[in-house]
């Protein structure tokens, strides 16, 4: 479940695929917006990569790494604008904060597009017959 402030933003299904070599993401927003990403680690470059495509035909190619307790991926190539930067940070309550920012021109301030929290949905309760 994904929230932004105190409102539900959508739901995300994240799963390991290809024998643990990649991560698949399926996003479904509360207003009908959908998107999918494929994420993988390149051992040669020691960088993570994400390819994102959404239901409006938009795409992003991001790359980066995990350091200082957060995963940060940025648009590639780095000299193309607008640039996107997404940072995922685990929190003590076991949720993950996602901060998505955009930079419109070289040297411009980063503007926040999305600041949300991803929380694992509790497993369904099993009811046993009496």
């Amino acid at each position: 479940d994904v929230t932004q402030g105190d409102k539900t933003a959508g739901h995300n299904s994240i799963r390991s695929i290809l024998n643990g070599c990649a991560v698949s993401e399926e996003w479904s927003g509360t207003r009908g917006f959908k998107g999918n990403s494929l994420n993988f680690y390149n051992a040669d470059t020691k960088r993570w990569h994400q390819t994102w495509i959404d239901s409006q035909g938009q795409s992003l190619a991001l790359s980066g790494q995990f350091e200082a307790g957060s995963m940060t991926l940025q648009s590639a190539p780095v000299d193309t604008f607008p640039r996107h930067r997404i940072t995922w940070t685990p929190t003590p309550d076991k949720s993950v904060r996602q901060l998505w920012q955009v930079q419109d021109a070289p040297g411009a301030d980063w503007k926040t597009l999305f600041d949300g929290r991803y929380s694992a949905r509790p497993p369904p309760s099993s009811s046993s017959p009496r």
Side-chain angles (χ1 to χ4, degrees):
D1 294 326
V2 183
T3 56
Q4 186 171 25
D6 60 354
K7 297 185 180 196
T8 298
H11 302 283
N12 215 6
S13 175
I14 301 168
R15 60 190 174 95
S16 175
I17 60 172
L18 302 173
N19 295 326
C21 294
V23 176
S24 171
E25 170 193 22
E26 295 179 34
W27 165 258
S28 179
T30 55
R31 297 181 182 168
F33 180 78
K34 295 181 184 280
N36 290 69
S37 73
L38 180 63
N39 304 268
F40 65 94
Y41 182 74
N42 183 320
D44 292 335
T45 63
K46 298 185 178 11
R47 296 181 66 78
W48 281 91
H49 299 271
Q50 180 185 89
T51 301
W52 165 267
I53 184 73
D54 65 39
S55 58
Q56 297 175 345
Q58 301 297 311
S59 65
L60 282 176
L62 308 168
S63 66
Q65 56 196 2
F66 188 86
E67 61 185 359
S70 295
M71 170 70 79
T72 301
L73 303 180
Q74 292 193 81
S75 299
V78 295
D79 58 349
T80 302
F81 290 88
R83 288 177 61 190
H84 292 262
R85 176 174 67 192
I86 305 175
T87 302
W88 295 268
T89 306
T91 63
D93 68 359
K94 301 205 187 274
S95 65
V96 174
R97 177 186 181 203
Q98 178 186 339
L99 179 61
W100 185 349
Q101 299 172 298
V102 65
Q103 185 184 45
D104 294 324
D109 290 339
W110 288 94
K111 298 176 197 170
T112 298
L113 292 179
F114 181 79
D115 189 354
R117 184 167 306 273
Y118 287 65
S119 301
R121 186 176 288 170
S125 60
S126 60
S127 56
S128 55
R130 294 183 182 214

